């Protein structure tokens, strides 16, 4: 980019504390995401021979790549030079790793680094796609080295087409949605025709291979070959704009530049993305906590915005902490621009609100790991909550409290006075059309004393009639709701669901209700906090409110998980390497890649999450017995493709057999029973 990159910092979240050895992509190791740094490697397709390539394929498809005809928000990630905690495909151990969770404010996400070919780590693509956001990689040439690369890239029309084809192949194979082109070098004017061919051919190839994909030109070299940033769309860069999907204008624009650019773009005004550097380096409005100043101008002038380096909040340690500062900063974006994504849009819809990092991990209310972790692929649908204090109830995402699913929950705490019979906050804003069949709502709650949580559902009928329905907790009485029931079209009492998979002592309660709103559209879901009133006429002092929301699931009633039996899978162990352990002469160390595929056809059913467990069997126990599962099973990680690599697993002495269980999970939070899941079993050498 035209401005200096953000700071590089130090490596965090790696599985091992020792310095990494020289990287050899052909050698089995904990899978990582990495860029392509030379034109030779790009041209010869060496990336596809890498041991790490299959792990880097994204597993979550994008439901629709068509960009809306309105002002859009492009976010260019550039965080500490890229490939930090997020490079560990199977996740790391840093619960404070950088993440983004305000996806409902983003249309396009660009993964950026100062390497020649920046390939987005699959965790970003998986989560962005889940939320309806396009993901682009970056192709960048800069400095003297970039000039040499461009001279070779653009030597002939055929070479320009070849490298465009190679970039397309990478995007298609890894499952992301296009490219940001940043040709930040001075060029001989004779090379410009081939540069235009490169942009044109890449755009055409991407569109034919991935309909709705995007190729965006960065405002750098001009049509004359000069490296002069225009900070707007004009005659010097419009020829590039005309043959691709948009332009990312440099950050040093003046107040009238957006309007001038829109006029040059004509009907394509929203394909102009005016740059805003969050670090504030030469950017209109100053960036940082004034990023909204530039956004206000861009929205008024009917162009789009390209926000560069929102990791400023994280890198500069904005007070009081990352979670609070991040929510505050994105709140400015929302107040200026408004929401650009909506969900739920289809059934089933499931969210455990997980941000992809935490200090523990739970399934069905049971904590299966107490280890710190980070893995953005694990993010659930993120709520549209404005976290922070209000006049009555504070709303926060709690990483430290017990979670029903994943690594956290939404906590509500504060005081509900007599003047505020209830408190409500938005969870989701959707466009979910309903047919003639009812839909079922299930959500998990944990609360103290008289504190209760319900759901407020807002529907729009075909006649544009608005209905607001309250799903109250299972022990609520209509008398206790009388103070505010008049604010709702209808009040329904939920019933408690028995969940044999959870531990009752942990206090989680599953609430469930079915509702039929034929022909209507579900538009909003809110949490409703209220308290049961004691059966007395004596005046009561306001009491502390505390309740936790663990997850929410919307599906067709009666639909139960239907997982294929373990015999449907082929599970293999590869690259098996035994070594001497560190716990004495009888202990051993194991490195192994476990891979699995569905027997029928060439692929597997539509699953994109697998929990991996380890069972160790002593020599005195039967290898066929799974009766010890309840005590001996160990959660070791999550895979989002059909493979998982275990590095230097310590195997104590006395263990004769180890079993790796692959627990298949679906899109609405259900996981296969462990004793019915596919597995790979391995005898420990004597």
């Amino acid at each position: 980019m035209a401005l200096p990159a953000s700071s590089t910092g130090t490596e965090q979240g790696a599985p091992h504390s020792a310095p990494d050895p020289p990287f050899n992509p052909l050698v089995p190791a904990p899978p990582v995401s990495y860029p392509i740094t030379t034109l030779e490697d790009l041209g010869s397709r060496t990336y596809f021979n890498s041991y790490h390539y299959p792990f880097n394929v994204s597993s979550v498809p994008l439901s629709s790549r068509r960009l809306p005809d309105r002002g859009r928000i492009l976010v260019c990630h550039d965080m500490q030079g890229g490939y930090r905690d997020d490079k560990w495909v199977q996740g790391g151990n840093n619960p404070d790793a950088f993440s983004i969770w305000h996806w409902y404010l983003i249309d396009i996400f660009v993964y950026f680094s100062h390497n020649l070919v920046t390939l987005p780590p699959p965790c970003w693509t998986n989560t962005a796609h889940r939320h309806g956001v396009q993901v682009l990689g970056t192709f960048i040439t800069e400095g003297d080295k970039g000039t040499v690369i461009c001279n070779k890239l653009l030597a002939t029309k055929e070479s320009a087409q070849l490298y465009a084809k190679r970039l397309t192949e990478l995007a298609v194979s890894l499952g992301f949605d296009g490219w940001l082109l940043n040709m930040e070098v001075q060029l001989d004017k004779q090379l410009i025709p081939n540069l235009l061919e490169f942009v044109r051919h890449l755009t055409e190839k991407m569109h034919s291979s991935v309909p709705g994909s995007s190729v965006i030109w960065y405002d750098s070299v001009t049509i004359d070959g000069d490296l002069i940033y225009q900070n707007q769309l004009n005659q010097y860069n419009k020829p590039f704009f005309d043959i691709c999907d948009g332009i990312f204008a440099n950050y040093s624009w003046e107040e009238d530049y957006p309007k001038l650019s829109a006029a040059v773009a004509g009907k394509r005004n929203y394909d102009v993305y005016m740059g805003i550097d969050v670090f504030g380096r030469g950017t209109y409005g100053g960036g940082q906590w004034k990023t909204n100043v530039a956004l206000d101008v861009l929205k008024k002038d009917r162009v789009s915005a390209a926000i560069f380096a929102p990791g400023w909040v994280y890198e500069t340690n904005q007070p009081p902490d990352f979670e609070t500062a991040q929510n505050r900063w994105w709140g400015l974006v929302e107040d200026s621009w408004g929401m650009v994504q909506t969900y739920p849009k289809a059934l089933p819809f499931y969210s455990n609100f997980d941000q992809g990092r935490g200090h523990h991990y739970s399934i069905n209310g049971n904590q299966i790991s107490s280890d710190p972790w980070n893995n953005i692929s694990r993010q659930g649908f993120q709520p549209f909550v404005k976290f922070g204090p209000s006049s009555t109830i504070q709303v926060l995402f709690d990483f430290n409290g017990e979670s029903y699913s994943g690594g956290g929950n939404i906590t509500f705490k504060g005081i509900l006075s007599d003047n505020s019979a209830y408190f409500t906050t938005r969870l989701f804003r959707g466009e979910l059309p309903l047919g003639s069949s009812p839909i079922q709502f299930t959500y998990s709650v944990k609360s103290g004393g008289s504190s209760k949580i319900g759901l407020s559902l807002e529907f729009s009928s075909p006649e544009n009639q608005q209905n607001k329905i309250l799903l109250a907790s299972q022990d609520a009485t209509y008398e206790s709701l009388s103070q505010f029931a008049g604010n709702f079209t209808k009040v329904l009492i939920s019933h408690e669901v028995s969940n044999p998979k959870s531990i009752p002592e942990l206090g989680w309660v599953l609430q469930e209700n079915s509702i039929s709103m034929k022909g209507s559209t579900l538009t909003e879901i809110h949490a409703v906090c209220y308290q049961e009133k004691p059966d007395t006429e004596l005046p009561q002092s306001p009491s502390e409110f505390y309740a936790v929301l663990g997850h929410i699931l919307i599906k067709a009633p009666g639909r139960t998980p239907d997982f294929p039996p373990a015999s449907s899978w082929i599970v293999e162990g590869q690259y098996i390497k035994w070594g001497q352990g560190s716990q004495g002469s009888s202990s051993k160390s194991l490195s192994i890649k476990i891979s699995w595929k569905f027997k029928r056809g060439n692929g597997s059913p539509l699953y994109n999450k697998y929990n991996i467990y380890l069972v160790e069997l002593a020599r005195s126990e039967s290898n066929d017995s799974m009766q010890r599962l309840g005590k001996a099973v160990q959660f070791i990680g999550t895979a989002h493709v059909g493979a998982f690599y275990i590095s230097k697993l310590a195997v104590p002495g006395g263990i004769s057999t180890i079993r790796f269980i692959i627990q298949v999970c679906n899109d609405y939070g259900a996981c296969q029973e462990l004793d019915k899941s596919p597995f790979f079993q391995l005898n420990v050498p004597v």
Side-chain angles (χ1 to χ4, degrees), residues 59-60 89 122-124 126-127 130 356 375-380 640:
S59 57
V60 180
V89 176
C123 61
W124 289 107
N126 287 338
T127 296
R130 186 173 292 121
N375 187 340
I376 296 172
S377 277
R378 288 190 196 169
Q379 271 195 11
H640 298 273

Side-chain angles (χ1 to χ4, degrees), residues 291-297 299 330-338:
T291 298
N292 55 307
V293 173
L295 287 172
D296 290 344
V297 172
K299 187 171 186 179
W330 282 99
L332 297 174
V333 176
E334 180 177 350
D335 290 342
S336 172
W337 205 269

Side-chain angles (χ1 to χ4, degrees), residues 158-469:
E158 290 72 24
S159 64
Q161 291 177 344
L162 170 66
Y163 292 112
K165 181 180 178 181
R166 293 288 181 261
L167 291 177
T168 301
E169 185 180 25
L170 284 165
V172 171
S173 300
L174 296 177
F176 60 92
D177 312 299
W179 293 96
L180 172 67
L181 299 180
N182 188 352
M183 315 297 285
E184 208 157 347
V185 292
Q186 182 84 17
L187 291 178
D188 189 314
K189 193 171 183 178
Q190 293 180 347
L191 296 178
I192 296 301
N194 290 338
L195 177 58
L196 288 167
E197 179 60 26
F198 174 67
V199 178
R200 179 187 297 108
H201 199 67
L202 176 59
T203 305
E204 291 175 352
K205 283 292 184 183
M206 282 300 309
H207 287 181
S208 62
S209 302
V210 185
S213 56
S214 297
V215 174
I216 295 178
W217 176 260
Y218 177 66
D219 164 32
S220 48
V221 66
T222 69
I223 195 64
D224 297 319
D226 298 319
L227 181 57
I228 303 176
Y229 308 100
Q230 303 301 303
N231 302 297
Q232 62 182 307
L233 177 65
N234 59 22
Q235 70 270 27
Y236 297 106
N237 51 34
K238 189 172 183 291
F240 302 107
F241 173 80
D242 288 341
I243 56 176
C244 67
D245 300 298
I247 187 170
F248 181 149
N250 191 48
Y251 323 102
S252 300
W253 47 270
E254 298 178 12
E255 188 168 2
D256 60 339
Y257 285 13
K259 186 179 295 184
L260 294 172
S261 299
V264 173
K267 293 182 179 180
R268 292 185 60 200
N269 52 304
Y270 293 131
D271 293 338
V272 176
Y273 299 85
M274 302 297 293
I276 305 171
D277 177 26
V278 181
F279 276 79
R281 298 161 291 199
T283 202
Y284 182 87
Q288 302 182 13
W289 293 110
K290 295 183 179 179
T291 298
N292 55 307
V293 173
L295 287 172
D296 290 344
V297 172
L298 303 184
K299 187 171 186 179
K300 174 180 64 72
D301 290 338
R302 297 173 60 81
V303 293
S304 294
I307 299 175
F308 182 73
W312 168 82
V313 176
Y314 183 88
E315 293 189 56
T316 57
N317 298 312
Q318 291 297 302
D321 55 71
F322 172 52
E323 181 83 8
T324 304
Q326 172 102 317
N327 287 328
R328 178 191 165 199
W329 187 87
W330 282 99
L332 297 174
V333 176
E334 180 177 350
D335 290 342
S336 172
W337 205 269
M339 302 177 196
V340 299
Q341 301 287 350
T342 58
Y343 42 87
K345 290 183 177 179
L347 295 178
F349 175 78
Y350 170 82
S351 176
N352 61 0
F353 319 119
D354 199 319
Q355 289 186 3
R357 57 200 181 99
H359 300 274
H360 64 271
Y361 197 72
S362 298
I363 296 178
N364 292 319
N366 303 320
Q367 184 172 301
I368 61 172
S369 173
S370 58
D371 295 329
W373 63 278
N374 62 278
N375 187 340
I376 296 172
S377 277
R378 288 190 196 169
Q379 271 195 11
F381 275 103
Q382 292 300 296
F384 296 53
V385 173
K386 284 201 170 184
F387 292 100
S390 70
S391 58
T392 56
I393 299 294
Q394 180 184 7
V395 185
L396 59 96
F397 186 85
D398 186 4
F399 293 95
N400 297 310
E402 295 171 351
S403 56
Y404 183 81
S405 173
N409 61 62
I410 299 180
T411 295
F412 306 85
K413 61 181 181 179
I415 298 292
L416 276 176
S417 66
D418 289 338
N419 295 328
S420 55
Y422 73 107
F423 168 85
T424 182
T425 188
R426 178 189 65 210
L427 292 177
F428 298 103
R429 177 170 290 178
E431 297 178 70
L432 179 61
L434 306 181
S436 57
S437 300
I439 55 174
Q440 180 177 294
F441 290 81
T442 306
Y443 57 103
S444 54
V445 175
K446 190 174 184 179
S447 61
S450 61
S451 302
K452 306 294 178 185
I453 292 182
L455 295 181
S456 171
L457 313 175
E458 298 185 16
F459 298 90
S460 177
S461 72
E463 297 77 27
N464 206 30
Q465 179 181 354
Q466 306 301 309
N467 290 289
K468 186 185 293 187
I469 296 177

